[in-house]
Amino acid sequence: MTNTDHPIALYGFLRPRPEHSDEVRRALTALVGPTRGEPGNLQYHLHEQEDGRFFLYEVWRSQQDLDRHNATPPLRAFMENVPPLLEEPPEAYFGTMLSPYPDADAERN
């Protein structure tokens, strides 16, 4: 069960089909700036692995902030359009952060 009093960390991998890697890279990169500007976003990082997978790491102030992010039109459009560009479904993990997040209290005020 997710505790809404603690930040939520989310990380995952996307493996694009080789012929679509540039398209997936552009689409993911386009999400970075707007996502970082959303209320409740504490971190949002996009990495490209040596094996061609993309790795996302996100930290949200609360589950409600993550839910609000998941409902944004740009993310919904990405999630609807990306499956045919991937070799396999996205791999995602999330959970409540047990270690203190240094800026979470400042973000809440």
Side-chain angles (χ1 to χ4, degrees):
M1 184 169 178
T2 302
N3 183 338
T4 58
D5 293 335
H6 296 278
I8 303 297
L10 168 70
Y11 67 95
F13 299 92
L14 292 93
R15 183 183 302 278
R17 297 179 188 278
E19 66 273 18
H20 295 294
S21 61
D22 288 340
E23 185 177 354
V24 173
R25 182 185 302 106
R26 282 191 300 273
L28 285 168
T29 301
L31 293 173
V32 174
T35 300
R36 286 181 175 172
E38 289 180 33
N41 179 259
L42 301 176
Q43 287 189 40
Y44 192 84
H45 302 283
L46 172 63
H47 306 266
E48 189 167 1
Q49 305 295 114
E50 289 183 13
D51 65 2
R53 290 180 302 160
F54 293 99
F55 171 71
L56 285 163
Y57 179 73
E58 309 173 30
V59 179
W60 294 88
R61 179 180 53 205
S62 68
Q63 182 64 51
Q64 291 84 3
D65 292 313
L66 176 57
D67 292 345
R68 189 172 29 254
H69 165 67
N70 287 337
T72 62
L75 183 62
R76 291 176 58 98
F78 175 82
M79 295 305 291
E80 289 172 10
N81 295 321
V82 76
L85 309 177
L86 302 178
E87 288 188 352
E88 58 197 29
E91 185 179 343
Y93 306 92
F94 69 94
T96 301
M97 291 183 73
L98 298 179
S99 58
Y101 193 87
D103 295 333
D105 289 331
E107 287 287 325
R108 289 179 194 185
N109 297 326

